[in-house]
Structures are given as structure tokens and as C-alpha cells.
């Protein structure tokens, strides 16, 4: 009985040694290069695409749009937004700051503040804003470009075009020396305004007297009827 116990213990000792030997043979090489963990890798910076450059400013009876070279709309501002904010948007598109000054009263228009670039101006008149009749501001085009940006109406009319050709394309609102584009009638004025005619707004295209060339474009231009 005692002999059997000693044999079993001896046998166990052999097995333990054998397993220990196998374990020693499978240990990893201490000289192997460590593997970098994913968290230790430096992330690659992603560059943001450059903002699209303005290529044209298009005016309509309702708003001013800034477009890129593909014709995509970069901004769309109506005439009832704060004039200074719209001027800032235009300055960014044009690439230069405007000259800010006061302009005098003229005709039925009171004086106001002008934001002017060469060929283009935004005028913030000193009247009470009241939609849809009296906008916050209006724009005046006197050039076909401002900086590297082209200027035109939504009909494609620009300074330097033939006024007679513009009139032929829009005969319903042609008069001597000017054409009213996008003629838009507004609701009748409420009682008490003293205006009985049908009010309307338009994009006014004008030529210098005795000249067939478009020299000024104004939007929105008001007409309170006869």
C-alpha cells in the first residue's frame, strides 16, 4: 500500500515537470517588437472644403441673390432685412468693404445711409418700414460688375445693354427711357393713406436721356399708380 502511494506521487512529479517544460518552450520572445494599439496612432486631420466663391449678384423685385460659378445660391436676402446685415453679406461676396455715407433726398425719396461700391450701392432710406409697401432699403446698379462679381437682374439685364432691346422683350411695361421688369401689384392701401391708385413694385431699368444704353437699375422701385 505504501509503495503504491510513492509511485503515484512520483508519477505526478513527472507529469508536473513535463507540463512545466512545455510551458517554458511556448513563452513569447522577449525581444519581439511591441504592437501599437489603435489608440496610440495619430489621427489624420480632415481638411474642410474651401467656401464657394461668389460669381454673380442677381437682383429681383423680391430679393438679392448671390450665386457661385455653377449658379448655386449662396445667399438670398429680401429687402425687409436689416440693411447693415445685408451690406455685410454683400461685402463678403464682393471681397471689399463699402464706403458708408449719407445720401441726399431726391424726388419722393427721403435721405438715408448709402453702402457703396464701384458700380453697386445699397441705400437705407429714412422712411417707416411697412411691408409690403415700404422696404428697409433698395439697391442701385450703375455698373455691370463690382470687383470680380457680375451684376444683373433676374431677367439677365445688365448695365450697358440696349434699352430698346429690353423694351421689346417686355413691351407691357415700356415707357420713354425706362422699362419696369417684374411688375408686381400690391394690395390697395388702407383708408387714410390718401393713395387711391393701385400700388406696385418693380425692377426699374433706365437709360440716360437720348441714349439707348441701360445706365441704372433700381430695385425695388415703387409706383403708387396714377
Amino acid at each position: 500500500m505504501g509503495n503504491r502511494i510513492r509511485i503515484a506521487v512520483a508519477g505526478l512529479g513527472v507529469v508536473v515537470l513535463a507540463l512545466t517544460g512545455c510551458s517554458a518552450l511556448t513563452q513569447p520572445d522577449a525581444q519581439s517588437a511591441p504592437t501599437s494599439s489603435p489608440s496610440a496612432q495619430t489621427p489624420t486631420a480632415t481638411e474642410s472644403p474651401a467656401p464657394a466663391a461668389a460669381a454673380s449678384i442677381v437682383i429681383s423685385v423680391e430679393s438679392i441673390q448671390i450665386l457661385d460659378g455653377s449658379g448655386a445660391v449662396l445667399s438670398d436676402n429680401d429687402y425687409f432685412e436689416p440693411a447693415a446685415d445685408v451690406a455685410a453679406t454683400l461685402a463678403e461676396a464682393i471681397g471689399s468693404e463699402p464706403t458708408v455715407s449719407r445720401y441726399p433726398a431726391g424726388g419722393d425719396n427721403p435721405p438715408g445711409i448709402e453702402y457703396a461700391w464701384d458700380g453697386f450701392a445699397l441705400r437705407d432710406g429714412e422712411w417707416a418700414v411697412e411691408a409690403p409697401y415700404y422696404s428697409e432699403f433698395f439697391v442701385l446698379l450703375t455698373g455691370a460688375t463690382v470687383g470680380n462679381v457680375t451684376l444683373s437682374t433676374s431677367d439677365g439685364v445688365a448695365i450697358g445693354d440696349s434699352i430698346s432691346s429690353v423694351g421689346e422683350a417686355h413691351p407691357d411695361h415700356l415707357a420713354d427711357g425706362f422699362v419696369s421688369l417684374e411688375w408686381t401689384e400690391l394690395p390697395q392701401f388702407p383708408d387714410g393713406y390718401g393713395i387711391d391708385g393701385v400700388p406696385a413694385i418693380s425692377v426699374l431699368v433706365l437709360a440716360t436721356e437720348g441714349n439707348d444704353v441701360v445706365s441704372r437699375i433700381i430695385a425695388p422701385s415703387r409706383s403708387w399708380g396714377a
Side-chain angles (χ1 to χ4, degrees):
M1 176 94 178
N3 289 337
R4 286 200 297 272
I5 292 173
R6 283 195 295 272
I7 292 171
V9 171
L12 181 59
V14 172
V15 172
V16 170
L17 288 174
L19 290 175
T20 303
C22 291
S23 175
L25 291 174
T26 57
Q27 290 294 321
D29 186 357
Q31 301 301 318
S32 299
T35 302
S36 300
S37 63
S39 60
Q41 297 177 358
T42 303
T44 303
T46 303
E47 295 185 2
S48 300
S56 61
I57 295 174
V58 177
I59 66 167
S60 70
V61 75
E62 295 181 345
S63 68
I64 306 168
Q65 289 189 334
I66 298 172
L67 312 179
D68 67 12
S70 69
V73 177
L74 301 178
S75 68
D76 189 346
N77 300 100
D78 66 49
Y79 299 107
F80 293 91
E81 296 182 35
D85 292 350
V86 178
T89 299
L90 290 167
E92 183 177 356
I94 294 168
S96 64
E97 293 298 318
T99 299
V100 182
S101 62
R102 288 189 62 79
Y103 67 88
D108 295 331
N109 290 319
I113 301 297
E114 180 180 71
Y115 302 84
W117 295 263
D118 186 19
F120 183 75
L122 181 154
R123 289 186 167 184
D124 182 9
E126 295 176 352
W127 54 71
V129 177
E130 183 179 357
Y133 309 106
Y134 295 97
S135 60
E136 173 76 20
F137 63 89
F138 68 95
V139 293
L140 170 65
L141 279 62
T142 55
T145 60
V146 54
N148 296 319
V149 179
T150 62
L151 301 170
S152 70
T153 71
S154 58
D155 297 84
V157 178
I159 301 299
D161 288 351
S162 165
I163 191 74
S164 58
S165 296
V166 176
E168 289 172 4
H170 304 274
D172 293 342
H173 297 285
L174 170 65
D176 186 19
F178 68 88
V179 181
S180 298
L181 306 178
E182 298 184 60
W183 184 267
T184 304
E185 292 188 352
L186 304 176
Q188 192 73 39
F189 274 99
D191 292 340
Y193 276 72
I195 301 175
D196 297 326
V198 177
I201 54 175
S202 67
V203 176
L204 187 62
V205 180
L206 304 105
T208 305
E209 186 176 356
N211 196 326
D212 187 53
V213 178
V214 174
S215 59
R216 289 181 297 157
I217 300 173
I218 300 171
S221 173
R222 300 188 298 266
S223 173
W224 297 159

